[in-house]
């Protein structure tokens, strides 16, 4: 009797040993602002990321492993972003971390990831420094940078608004500084006496700060108002500019514009505003990018809103991570860096390349103009805000290797990524 029980138990153990064991999930970390002045862009990242994860898991995961998204709220704070990154890696063993909106957050978070030998993918981090003076081996930026946006935007402005007086209102932190510097460079408005400007506090700007800046812009006699502001700050400032009647006096330019900001400000206030973007949902339909069209349709069907740049960036990063793991045959950071560097691909628009030199994503830049209210409302879900009025290919928009090295040299950094 005892022998029979032993045989049965032994048989059960053999069956259990032979049974397939559920693979442990492959965790990735999303470090984004759920709160703060960039929360709308943060929400879009979350929606885009979850859509990508669900699609990938439904198709079998990454090399047979289901993907698990672990999220953290940066609140737009660089120190908090770095601490979140450390927690995601140290306590949850995520394979990579992605996110951003504030360049200061992306830079601090990227350094925390590098210290732990993990990749950090920047989403909406536009400061030149992210892959420039502060760039390193473990940072890959999916979006464009201020240089690329300014070059494409200024090509249009130099033709359509030549010989006009500019006034700059700029958020006082790394993204604001590099964006203003880049726009001034390419629009031939470097002379601050001829084209003055002011900075507004970040991240604690108040209505009084924006009003004071706009009053100075009004008194300057400028014909072009460049608002180097983002998220809720841009929405508050442009709403105030509209109330003060400045839109009737000046062409307003928002160098980095997003669908979320346009929605917050509203159709009437946004009409005629010009800006640059690495992606808008109209692009796949205008230029015939089928995979991009599928993303827009899936996203809008699932969430009943149209996807913004932030959603597209987060979605693309998850798929790029999947692709890199599968091409490398490994999740080790060194193998993924090798797989990404110099890799070209097409996903939501035309060809993009992870440039090996600096890990900046080389891609087409779009210049857009906000449509009249009736056209916005007549479009998909009342969100057809942007008309693409110009675009610049990535190879022309991006810094040359010599220009990138000069930025590194001026910052006292090595001329290769370390």
């Amino acid at each position: 009797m005892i022998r029979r029980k032993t045989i049965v138990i032994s048989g059960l153990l053999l069956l259990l040993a032979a049974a397939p064991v559920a693979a442990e999930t492959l965790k990735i970390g999303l470090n984004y602002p759920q709160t703060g002045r960039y929360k709308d862009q943060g929400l879009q990242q979350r929606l885009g990321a979850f859509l990508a994860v669900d699609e990938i898991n439904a198709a079998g995961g990454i090399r047979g492993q289901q993907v698990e998204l672990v999220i953290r709220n940066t609140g737009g704070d660089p120190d908090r972003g770095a601490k979140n990154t450390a927690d995601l890696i140290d306590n949850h063993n995520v394979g990579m971390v992605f996110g951003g909106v504030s360049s200061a957050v992306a830079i601090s978070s990227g350094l925390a990831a590098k210290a732990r030998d993990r990749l950090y993918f920047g989403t909406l981090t536009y400061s030149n420094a992210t892959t420039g003076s502060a760039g390193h081996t473990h940072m890959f930026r999916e979006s464009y940078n201020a240089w690329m946006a300014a070059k494409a935007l200024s090509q249009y402005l130099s033709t359509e608004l030549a010989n006009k007086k500019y006034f700059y209102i700029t958020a006082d932190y790394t993204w604001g500084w590099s964006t203003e510097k880049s726009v001034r460079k390419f629009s031939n408005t470097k002379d601050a006496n001829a084209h003055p400007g002011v900075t507004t506090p970040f991240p604690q700007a108040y209505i009084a700060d924006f009003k004071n800046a706009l009053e100075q812009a009004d008194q300057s006699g400028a014909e072009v108002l460049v608002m180097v502001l983002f998220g809720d700050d841009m929405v508050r400032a442009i709403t105030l500019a509209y109330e003060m009647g400045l839109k009737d006096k000046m062409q307003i330019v928002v160098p980095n514009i997003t669908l979320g900001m346009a929605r917050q400000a509203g159709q009437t206030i946004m009409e005629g505003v010009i800006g640059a973007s690495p992606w808008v949902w109209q692009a796949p339909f205008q230029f015939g990018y089928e995979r991009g069209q599928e993303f827009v349709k899936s996203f809008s069907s699932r969430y009943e809103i149209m996807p913004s740049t932030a959603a597209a960036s987060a979605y693309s990063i998850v798929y790029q991570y999947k692709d890199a793991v599968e091409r490398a045959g490994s999740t080790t950071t060194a193998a993924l860096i090798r797989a990404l560097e110099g890799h070209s691909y097409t996903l939501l628009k035309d060809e993009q390349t992870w440039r090996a030199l600096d890990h900046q994503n080389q891609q087409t830049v779009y210049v857009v103009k906000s449509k009249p209210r009736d056209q916005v409302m007549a479009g998909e879900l009342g969100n057809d805000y942007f008309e693409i009025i110009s675009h610049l290919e990535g190879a022309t928009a991006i810094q040359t290797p010599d220009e990138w090295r000069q930025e590194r040299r001026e910052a006292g950094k090595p001329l290769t990524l370390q």
Side-chain angles (χ1 to χ4, degrees):
M1 186 70 175
I2 294 174
R3 178 176 172 77
R4 184 179 176 185
K5 284 183 178 180
T6 302
I7 292 171
V8 170
I9 291 169
S10 298
L12 288 171
L13 290 173
L14 286 170
L15 286 172
L16 287 171
V21 178
E24 191 174 318
T25 59
L26 179 57
K27 296 179 180 179
I28 58 176
L30 175 59
N31 197 28
Y32 75 104
Q34 297 177 27
T35 55
R37 297 195 171 179
Y38 293 166
K39 61 183 179 296
D40 181 83
Q41 290 73 34
L43 173 62
Q44 283 275 328
Q45 287 183 57
R46 174 175 175 148
L47 298 181
F50 270 106
L51 176 59
V53 167
D54 287 350
E55 288 178 355
I56 289 168
N57 285 341
I62 298 177
R63 298 176 72 216
Q65 284 185 279
Q66 292 287 285
V67 182
E68 180 182 347
L69 189 62
V70 186
I71 62 175
R72 289 293 181 272
N73 176 22
T74 68
D77 179 76
D79 290 338
R80 189 171 174 184
K83 289 177 182 176
N84 287 351
T85 301
D87 172 59
L88 287 165
I89 297 169
D90 295 343
N91 299 319
H92 299 275
N93 195 33
V94 299
M96 67 85 166
V97 185
F98 65 116
V101 180
S102 162
S103 291
V105 170
I107 290 169
S108 66
S109 301
L111 289 172
K114 182 178 185 292
R116 292 160 175 79
D117 194 29
R118 290 290 195 282
L119 292 185
Y120 196 96
F121 289 89
T123 49
L124 301 195
T125 165
Y126 296 146
S127 171
N128 291 332
T130 304
T131 50
S133 59
H136 53 79
T137 51
H138 290 53
M139 170 65 79
F140 285 80
R141 177 183 4 216
E142 194 283 331
S143 64
Y144 64 16
N145 62 5
W147 178 286
M148 297 168 71
K151 198 167 185 180
L153 184 59
S154 297
Q155 177 179 267
Y156 176 83
L157 297 177
S158 296
T159 301
E160 302 298 324
L161 296 171
N163 303 314
K164 303 290 186 181
K165 181 175 182 177
Y166 283 51
F167 190 94
Y168 290 83
I169 298 177
T170 300
D172 194 12
Y173 81 110
T174 181
W175 164 73
W177 308 328
S178 62
T179 299
E180 178 180 338
K181 181 179 179 180
S182 297
V183 175
R184 283 186 180 275
K185 174 182 174 66
F186 293 115
S187 62
N188 298 314
T189 58
K190 287 184 180 180
D191 186 345
N193 291 319
H195 306 281
V198 295
T199 58
T200 55
F202 183 85
Q204 297 296 331
Y206 299 99
I207 290 295
D209 296 310
F210 297 129
K211 185 175 182 181
N212 178 56
L214 288 165
E215 286 173 346
Q216 292 183 59
D218 191 16
Q219 293 162 10
S220 73
E223 298 154 288
V224 179
L225 175 57
V226 183
M227 300 178 70
V228 190
L229 304 169
F230 201 72
D232 289 354
D233 284 348
M234 193 287 290
V235 173
R236 295 175 187 181
I238 202 169
T239 301
L240 190 55
Y242 175 80
E243 293 170 351
M244 293 170 65
L246 298 189
K247 282 196 69 188
D248 297 328
K249 302 178 182 180
M250 305 174 180
Q251 171 63 59
I252 294 182
V253 176
V254 178
N256 297 121
I257 201 165
T258 71
L259 177 59
M261 294 190 301
R263 276 196 297 247
Q264 286 177 272
Q267 305 93 341
T268 301
I269 290 173
M270 287 302 298
E271 182 175 345
V273 173
I274 294 171
S277 179
W279 190 87
V280 289
W281 69 259
Q282 293 87 345
F285 297 94
Q286 183 168 331
F287 298 108
Y289 306 136
E290 292 183 5
R291 183 65 180 82
Q293 293 174 23
E294 291 172 8
F295 164 68
V296 173
K297 291 172 184 176
S298 296
F299 187 98
S300 59
S301 174
R302 177 169 176 162
Y303 300 119
E304 297 186 344
I305 55 174
M306 302 304 286
S308 75
T309 303
S313 182
Y315 181 90
S316 297
I317 286 168
V318 176
Y319 269 100
Q320 276 298 287
Y321 177 70
K322 172 183 182 292
D323 180 68
V325 170
E326 291 175 343
R327 286 187 296 105
S330 172
T331 58
T332 63
T333 298
L336 295 178
I337 291 173
R338 289 193 297 270
L340 287 164
E341 287 185 334
H343 178 63
S344 296
Y345 64 98
T346 55
L347 188 62
L348 302 186
K349 56 179 188 178
D350 54 345
E351 186 175 81
Q352 298 175 240
T353 300
W354 295 106
R355 195 165 71 162
L357 173 75
D358 53 0
H359 297 177
Q360 172 59 51
N361 195 295
Q362 179 177 301
Q363 60 183 286
T364 297
V365 179
Y366 302 102
V367 180
V368 301
K369 187 173 186 178
S370 294
K371 296 179 180 180
R373 176 185 173 84
D374 58 339
Q375 293 182 29
V376 175
M377 296 303 295
E380 291 288 336
L381 298 174
N383 275 198
D384 192 9
Y385 273 89
F386 300 130
E387 171 192 3
I388 299 173
I389 55 177
S390 180
H391 65 278
L392 188 64
E393 292 183 354
T396 304
I398 202 167
Q399 288 172 302
T400 66
D402 285 345
E403 288 166 337
W404 180 81
R405 292 187 190 100
Q406 182 59 30
E407 180 184 343
R408 298 278 289 189
R409 190 176 290 113
E410 290 173 357
K413 297 296 181 68
L415 302 187
T416 57
L417 294 180
Q418 302 293 313

